[in-house]
Each structure stands twice: as C-alpha cells, then as structure tokens.
Amino acid sequence: MSDLFSHQGEINRRALAPLADRLRPRSLEEFVGQEEILGPGRLLRRAIHADRVGNLILHGPPGVGKTTLARIIASSTRAHFTSLNAVLAGVKDLRVEVEAARQRLERHGLRTLLFIDEVHRFNVAQQDALLPWVENGTVTLIGATTENPFFEVNKALVSRSRLFRLQPLEPRDLRVLLERALADGERGYGGRPVELTSEAADHLLDVAGGDARSLLNALELAVESSSADASGVIRIDLEIAEQSIQQRAVLYDKQGDAHFDTISAFIKSLRGSDPDAALFWLARMVEAGENPRFIFRRMLISAGEDIGLADPQAIVVVEACAAAFERVGLPEGLYPLAQAAVYLAGAEKSNSLLGFFDALRSVRATNRQEVPSHLRDANRDGAAFGDGVGYRYPHAYAEHWVAQTYLPAALQGEVFWLPGHLGWEGALQGRLQRRRAAQLAAAAESTADSGPLLSSGPDDAELERWLQRQAAAEGERLDQLRQRFWQGTGWQRQDRTLILAARSLLWALDPLESCPEGGVVISVDSAADQERLQAQSQLLDSLRSPRLLLLDPTRPGSLSEALEPGERFEWLVGRSPFQGLAPEQWQRLLEELVRLASPGAQWRLLLSGPLLGPAGALAERLARPGVTKAGQDDRTLPELLRRVSLEEGAWLTAQPTPAELKGALESMNWQVEQESWQESLTLELSETAYQRWFSPGAAYRIRLETVLNPVEIATVEAGFRGQLRGPLPQRLLHHRLIAHRR
C-alpha cells in the first residue's frame, strides 16, 4: 500500500513540476547543446556509453544541463544512483549515503554513483569527510557547481576528478528546446492550442541568455497566465513575452569566475583602447552590484601598468574621478566612474614601467652592486677615500645634463626603461637614446674606470682642486665634438651613409635619425668592436638599425664585396678612419671608397691626434705646483721625460696628415675644405693605461728602449707608477675635412 501511495505521489509531483523539470532530457539523444564535450566521438559521450565515467565535476552557469547530464549518466550506468544537495545535506547525510554505498559494494558488488548538486556549498569538513570514500572507490562522485572548482572545491577532490566546463546554450539550442516544449504532448504544451509569434520567440531566446531554465520558466509563465481567445487558442505575442521575461539575468558572483572574468575583460578593453567594450563591461559590473571602489582600484593599476608615462595625467584623472565619486555617491557618481574608464581607454598606451621589475631581477642576480666612487656621499669620509670625487653637477652643464655613469660597474650598458613611441615618453625617447649613446661612446673612447680607492694617504688639496677644475665629462665632450662635426649638414631623408672604423654609435646618431628612408653602414676593424656595437644598436629601437661590416683595411675590396651590387653612399664619414695604416694601404682604401661615392656625395672626416705623448703629459703634470712627487728622483726624472717627449711627436703620427689626405682627394677631383682647432682635456692615469704602456712587449715600451737604457726606463716607469689615478693633461688637435665633387 505504501508503494502504491508513493507511486501515486510521484505521478502527482511530476504533473505539478515546473515545465523546465518536466522537460529534462532523459537520454543523450534528447540532450541539447554542449557539442564540444558530448558530440559524437567526444570523450564524455564515449565514457557514458562505455559505463566508465569515473569521478566527474561539472561546472558552468545555471540552466546549461549539469543536473540533467548527471541524471542521464545515472540512467546509462549499471551503478546505483543516489543524490544529495549540498545546500540541504550535512555530514550525517553524507555518512548515511556512504555507508549504504559500502554495503552495496561488499554484499552485491554494486557500485554507487553519488551525485552532489552545488558541491561547492559543502564546507571544508564535509569535503574532507567525502574524500576517503572517493579515493578508495566506495562511491563515484559526480559534482555540479556554478563556481570554479579550482577555487571552491577541495583540491584533493579536484585532483581525483575529471572536470568538464559547460557553456551557455546557443540560440539554436534554445530554439530546439522551445519547439520541443510546444510540441511535446506528454510533458509540454503539445496537447494545448498554444501559438507563439516569431517576435515573441526571438525575444524569449534573446533574453534567456543561454539559460534553458530561464527560457522554459518564461514560456510557462506566458502560457499559464494567458487566456484563450474566442477560438480557444492561447496566443503569445511580443508584449506577453516581454512581460514574462522582462530583464536578462546578469550572471555575476563577486567571489567567483564571473567576477574575475568580467573585470579581466574590462581591463583588457582599456588596454586595447576600446571605449565601447570598456563601457559595456563597466555597465555589466555596475548592474550586478560590483563595488565601484574596487573598479576604481583596478583602473588606478591600469593607469600605471598599461598607460604609464605615455600619459602621466591618466593616474591623476582616475584619482580625481575616484575622489569625485566619494563626494557625490550613487547614482550621480556613475559619471566620474564612466569618465575615468573612457579616459583610460582613449589614452596612449605604454608598459615601459615594467622595466622596474627588470631592475629588481638585476638587483637579485648581480653580485657586485657597489655605488661608484663619484656617486658616494662625500660628507663623511670622502676626503680619505675619494668618495664623491669626480662627480659632475648636471646643473653646471648645458641642458642641465652631463654624460657620466650612474650604474655599478657590473651593470654598465644595462637598460631597464625603454620609453614607448607615443605620448609624453614618446617625445622623450629620441633625447634619451642620444644621451645613452653618448654615455656608451664615452665608455668606448675613453679610459676605463679603475674602481674605488681602497686606501687613504696624505691630503693633496692642490691636486683635488685641479681635479675639480679640469675633470670634464667625456660623454659631453664627445657629443659636442659630434655636433661640430655634423654642423651645416643638409640631410635628405633617403641619404645613405658609410661610417668608417667606428668604435661607437655616436657618429651614426645623426644619419640614423635624419635619414629614415636611407640607410647607415658602419665598418669596424675588429670583431670586438662589432660585437659591442651590435649590443649598443639594440638601444636604438626607434631608429633604423645600422648594418655592421667587419672590414680588413689591408683588403679595401672586402668592403665592396660585403655591400649589395651597385650600392652607393651620399655621405662617407669617419673619425681618424686611416689610423695605423701605411701610406700605400690608406691610399688604396681611399680609392676604393671614392668608387662607392654617389654623384652628389660628400666626405666628412675628423682627424684627431694628441699633441702630448705620455711622457710629455706626465712632465706637464709634475711641473704643476702642489703635485706630490714622493718616491721620485726629482733631478733625473724631468730630464728623462723631456728627452722622451722630443721623440714622442714622431711616435704619435700614426695616420695620414690633413695635407696628405687633402692632396689625395684633390687629385681625384674633389674640392676639400679644412677646419682645425685645439682641445684641452684631462685623462686619468689608470692602471689599464699604465699596463698598456709599460708591460713587456708593449709598443710604447719598445720605442722607449730606442731612447733610454734599462735603468732610465725603470726611473720613468716608477715616475708613472707614483702618479697612478692622477690626472694627466692632454691637448688634442682636430682637423675637419669636408669634400665635394668638383
């Protein structure tokens, strides 16, 4: 009798069940949608047919078939099916089901498939209680959740389950369900005269938003609340449909996937400069009740991460809009909220501030991070250890900048901030790159830093004053030399430039920037120079990179072989490009270069040479008042230096004279103009320079041996050793040659 009443109760329940529940598909053939996982040949479909489903967690938005799919699996399996709803069940209910499953397995060998709806609602203790029985196979779990299981479900349960993500239903799938509901006489409205206009159907499909339950509930409300007309037909038009489902449900859980996915779409729309998409995702968050303060916080991050210095005002605008929102509140506060979003979407973009994280990685990876001596605090022990000595005060120089190094020695040449091409930092880019190139050129063309002082001696006030007066920034000096070298140039955008025997990119900056449609070729004399210039050229990201060619000056034809056939140049330039070549060598090279000149070509050559050799410079230094001469034989050293300096004039002539070059060019029908000037500077007597001059086999030492005996050479060597790290005066003579075809 009880079974009879139970059966009748089930019949009554089904008759009174909502339309969405009555129309649940009962087999895979009836199931609609989710073709990606349930289509023919798909993994889950094969597993269901083979009754080898295993532990499953189905997650996705409401109304896409999670519970329905679990019931279909239950009807297709030879296992016993039982279900719990995590909202209503507790640990006690779970233990009852597990115990029953254990007995079925032990007594009858029957597996149990346990379906837990809203499994994410189980707390940690409940999920932990379930884990051992899932692990030993007492129950096979099928969980359904609207939340991301990676965040809301026990990680151990997730690791033992196969996850399937169900997507919102497509309009075509919803239409199938709608037509089925109208045609099914047993579970739907097939036995009743219901007519649905196409406009009403389209509205229901559109507003349902991929939720089958929402669609069928709206249809049920429309049919059950509408009266038949005179002919007995229930007609559902657009007006009734709109009343039945007036507003699309916004799927949005502030702690779940919808929250993170939507804010991600919003930020990516700002980054992608799409104000329309940004406003849409912003409206979705506002409509779902997202806290505007959270949105403002994310926009402040975006202003720094995605816009940065392309538009420094972006962060100011967002901060001002956030303050305005706090003052006016909702709903008027939506105006500054939208204003901030549209401003960020429309602003120029740059992520150059990510360079800070490159700097962080270098801090963690670089062993030696000592502050360079000239940057150290000179107020404490600077007098004893030279801290702060050599620092150049930028405000004392033109444009309030001077090319001195600021990074530790181990990081020289590192670049952490690469400005973008747009907005505020875009305008800064060219100037910054020129300055970086000047610093690198100074490092390449001047003596290297020999490190901080590690010991202290008696004060030498006069020497300190001399250093402060004479120390000049090598980078600024070379940059001024570059400007004078290119003075009066009339560039054409398509000009091609050949730069000879370059040791830095400094001389290439002007043609690289002024001739974007032409090209720059740089010849180098050594593989080391080629490697260094390749590294430097990576910094010139806004300029067309030059071509670097390794040229053997003794084989002038090797240059033509490396060039494209017929390639010619409007500019042939170089600073002392024939240094160290014998007369017949530089003459053959000059002839080869003339053949590479275009009809309207121009030569620009800068010949620079020292007027003082090492001995002459040291003699001038020792003659200055107040310079310490401790440990030196004052009677013999000056005389030895004078004798050597008389010979150094011939030693220093390692390139053709301006007159020789001018004569050679004029003989090849070129008209040559010459300008000459002197430059005074100070060079540090470094350990590197000392070894280059006096180590066994050094060219300078070999020449000394032609003038002095070993004892005298030892005296001169001791004199240089006693002045290590001291400044040596130097005077350079520059000649600029400009040549045009006659």
Side-chain angles (χ1 to χ4, degrees):
M1 184 66 68
S2 60
D3 290 342
L4 178 62
F5 283 119
S6 299
H7 178 68
Q8 185 61 43
E10 180 65 18
I11 294 175
N12 293 338
R13 187 195 66 76
R14 290 180 181 177
L16 297 175
L19 176 65
D21 189 61
R22 299 199 308 270
L23 280 175
R24 283 187 189 276
R26 291 173 289 195
S27 67
L28 280 178
E29 288 68 28
E30 289 186 5
F31 194 89
V32 177
Q34 313 304 332
E35 290 291 322
E36 292 79 4
I37 60 174
L38 281 172
R42 303 287 187 182
L43 173 64
L44 185 54
R45 192 182 191 93
R46 296 200 313 269
I48 294 172
H49 284 320
D51 193 14
R52 299 182 60 183
V53 173
N55 299 313
L56 291 181
I57 296 180
L58 308 172
H59 70 106
V64 296
K66 298 185 297 297
T67 304
T68 298
L69 184 56
R71 292 184 177 181
I72 290 174
I73 294 173
S75 67
S76 305
T77 183
R78 289 183 293 275
H80 179 82
F81 179 81
T82 185
S83 64
L84 289 175
N85 189 305
V87 176
L88 304 175
V91 173
K92 180 180 178 182
D93 303 292
L94 184 60
R95 287 175 177 168
V96 170
E97 294 294 346
V98 168
E99 178 60 24
R102 186 184 62 80
Q103 292 183 13
R104 279 190 291 271
L105 186 62
E106 292 178 353
R107 297 175 182 177
H108 308 291
L110 183 63
R111 296 180 298 113
T112 297
L113 195 155
L114 176 60
F115 173 64
I116 301 179
D117 201 7
E118 305 292 338
V119 66
H120 66 279
R121 298 286 188 178
F122 268 173
N123 59 34
V124 175
Q126 291 168 316
Q127 294 187 33
D128 288 343
L130 177 63
L131 178 61
W133 309 109
V134 171
E135 192 168 33
N136 65 21
T138 301
V139 296
T140 299
L141 171 68
I142 298 182
T145 175
T146 57
E147 304 300 321
N148 189 329
F150 287 104
F151 296 101
E152 302 297 336
V153 180
N154 186 311
K155 289 182 174 57
L157 281 178
V158 170
S159 68
R160 289 161 177 79
S161 305
R162 188 178 296 277
L163 275 63
F164 288 96
R165 182 174 183 177
L166 278 64
Q167 302 293 335
L169 297 182
E170 298 291 336
R172 63 176 182 274
D173 300 325
L174 293 176
R175 189 174 293 277
V176 171
L177 294 176
L178 185 62
E179 293 172 352
R180 182 182 297 173
L182 294 173
D184 192 318
E186 177 188 354
R187 295 178 291 168
Y189 294 120
R192 298 174 64 176
V194 178
E195 289 185 3
L196 185 68
T197 67
S198 60
E199 294 84 0
D202 291 342
H203 177 76
L204 293 176
L205 296 174
D206 177 54
V207 181
D211 186 335
R213 185 182 296 109
S214 176
L215 170 71
L216 296 176
N217 287 344
L219 176 63
E220 183 177 27
L221 178 60
V223 172
E224 300 298 340
S225 63
S226 301
S227 302
D229 60 12
S231 61
V233 177
I234 301 174
R235 302 183 188 279
I236 308 298
D237 57 17
L238 179 59
E239 181 180 356
I240 296 174
E242 289 176 340
Q243 293 173 355
S244 301
I245 184 169
Q246 298 180 359
Q247 185 174 355
R248 189 190 312 272
V250 177
L251 175 62
Y252 197 87
D253 185 339
K254 295 181 185 179
Q255 302 301 322
D257 277 1
H259 163 78
F260 292 106
D261 289 346
T262 307
I263 193 64
S264 175
F266 174 64
I267 293 300
K268 288 172 181 173
S269 300
L270 297 179
R271 184 182 298 137
S273 301
D274 189 334
D276 301 309
L279 287 178
F280 172 80
W281 297 116
L282 177 64
R284 172 171 170 148
M285 288 187 289
V286 169
E287 183 69 11
E290 182 63 83
N291 189 338
R293 294 183 180 89
F294 167 76
I295 302 174
F296 273 119
R297 286 197 297 271
R298 293 305 302 267
M299 285 196 288
L300 280 170
I301 296 171
S302 177
E305 179 183 0
D306 298 319
I307 296 169
L309 294 175
D311 186 350
Q313 285 299 310
I315 199 166
V316 178
V317 169
V318 177
E319 183 65 30
C321 288
F325 177 86
E326 294 295 333
R327 179 167 295 185
V328 302
L330 290 173
E332 291 84 354
L334 294 177
Y335 288 110
L337 184 66
Q339 178 180 345
V342 172
Y343 188 93
L344 294 185
E348 302 286 11
K349 301 301 188 296
S350 170
N351 65 346
S352 64
L353 292 178
L354 293 178
F356 171 72
F357 299 98
D358 293 332
L360 276 181
R361 283 190 288 272
S362 291
V363 167
R364 294 163 183 163
T366 305
N367 292 326
R368 298 183 64 83
Q369 302 179 13
E370 294 87 354
V371 176
S373 297
H374 66 286
L375 299 182
R376 294 182 180 179
D377 181 10
N379 294 320
R380 295 179 297 165
D381 54 3
F385 290 96
D387 292 348
V389 173
Y391 171 68
R392 288 109 192 188
Y393 187 58
H395 297 298
Y397 295 86
E399 298 183 4
H400 302 269
W401 177 84
V402 58
Q404 61 184 335
T405 57
Y406 295 95
L407 280 169
L411 294 175
Q412 288 303 317
E414 286 288 337
V415 175
F416 299 116
W417 183 53
L418 286 173
H421 301 277
L422 304 175
W424 178 84
E425 65 179 3
L428 180 67
Q429 186 184 53
R431 180 176 62 182
L432 178 65
Q433 290 172 342
R434 284 191 294 273
R435 288 179 173 179
R436 281 174 172 165
Q439 289 175 318
L440 290 170
E445 300 196 22
S446 63
T447 56
D449 179 19
S450 56
L453 284 175
L454 301 179
S455 61
S456 174
D459 290 340
D460 188 346
E462 183 61 28
L463 174 60
E464 181 63 23
R465 283 193 293 272
W466 171 257
L467 275 171
Q468 293 296 332
R469 274 198 313 272
Q470 297 296 327
E474 187 74 358
E476 182 187 38
R477 183 187 71 81
L478 288 171
D479 197 56
Q480 291 175 348
L481 197 61
R482 174 192 65 83
Q483 295 178 34
R484 185 164 186 173
F485 177 74
W486 289 114
Q487 189 174 13
T489 305
W491 297 108
Q492 299 294 322
R493 291 176 58 86
Q494 68 277 12
D495 283 353
R496 296 158 297 180
T497 304
L498 174 61
I499 301 176
L500 303 166
R503 297 197 63 210
S504 77
L505 292 180
L506 185 69
W507 312 101
L509 284 178
D510 294 77
L512 282 170
E513 190 170 20
S514 302
C515 309
E517 298 166 12
V520 175
V521 175
I522 299 177
S523 76
V524 294
D525 295 340
S526 69
D529 287 341
Q530 185 179 33
E531 183 178 354
R532 185 178 66 255
L533 294 190
Q534 284 175 341
Q536 292 181 16
S537 65
Q538 296 177 4
L539 306 181
L540 304 175
D541 57 302
S542 71
L543 306 175
R544 177 172 298 177
S545 296
R547 282 183 289 160
L548 299 174
L549 302 179
L550 184 60
L551 172 65
D552 180 0
T554 63
R555 290 186 58 248
S558 62
L559 181 58
S560 297
E561 295 169 4
L563 296 173
E564 297 179 14
E567 187 171 6
R568 297 294 182 266
F569 298 93
E570 282 70 39
W571 299 89
L572 297 102
V573 303
R575 183 187 184 194
S576 300
F578 308 112
Q579 185 86 31
L581 297 181
E584 62 276 8
Q585 291 175 331
W586 68 257
Q587 288 170 3
R588 286 202 307 269
L589 179 57
L590 186 65
E591 292 172 357
E592 177 68 18
L593 293 170
V594 166
R595 285 193 286 270
L596 296 176
S598 68
Q602 180 181 134
W603 281 89
R604 286 211 172 210
L605 298 174
L606 180 64
L607 307 180
S608 301
L611 295 177
L612 290 175
L618 182 60
E620 281 204 11
R621 167 171 168 70
L622 295 176
R624 298 183 186 277
V627 176
T628 302
K629 305 178 181 63
Q632 299 173 8
D633 187 342
D634 294 339
R635 294 170 297 174
T636 60
L637 181 61
E639 174 58 25
L640 294 175
L641 293 176
R642 186 189 66 80
R643 286 169 52 192
V644 174
S645 63
L646 292 176
E647 302 291 333
E648 283 180 333
W651 301 351
L652 296 174
T653 306
Q655 62 179 330
T657 66
E660 290 172 331
L661 271 177
K662 183 177 180 182
L665 284 170
E666 288 177 342
S667 69
M668 290 183 279
N669 206 30
W670 291 79
Q671 181 177 346
V672 183
E673 302 172 6
Q674 177 180 340
E675 177 189 12
S676 303
W677 70 95
Q678 285 193 27
E679 178 187 16
S680 297
L681 64 151
T682 301
L683 302 177
E684 179 186 317
L685 177 52
S686 64
E687 179 67 31
T688 302
Y690 175 82
Q691 294 296 334
R692 187 169 66 246
W693 295 335
F694 292 102
S695 61
Y700 188 75
R701 187 183 187 94
I702 292 173
R703 291 181 180 271
L704 282 179
E705 291 171 353
T706 65
V707 180
L708 305 178
N709 61 45
V711 175
E712 292 171 331
I713 291 176
T715 301
V716 171
E717 188 174 352
F720 276 92
R721 171 62 68 181
Q723 297 299 317
L724 277 180
R725 296 191 61 82
L728 290 180
Q730 183 55 271
R731 289 190 297 278
L732 297 178
L733 180 59
H734 300 293
H735 308 276
R736 184 180 71 163
L737 302 182
I738 300 177
H740 304 266
R741 286 188 189 272
R742 287 176 178 169

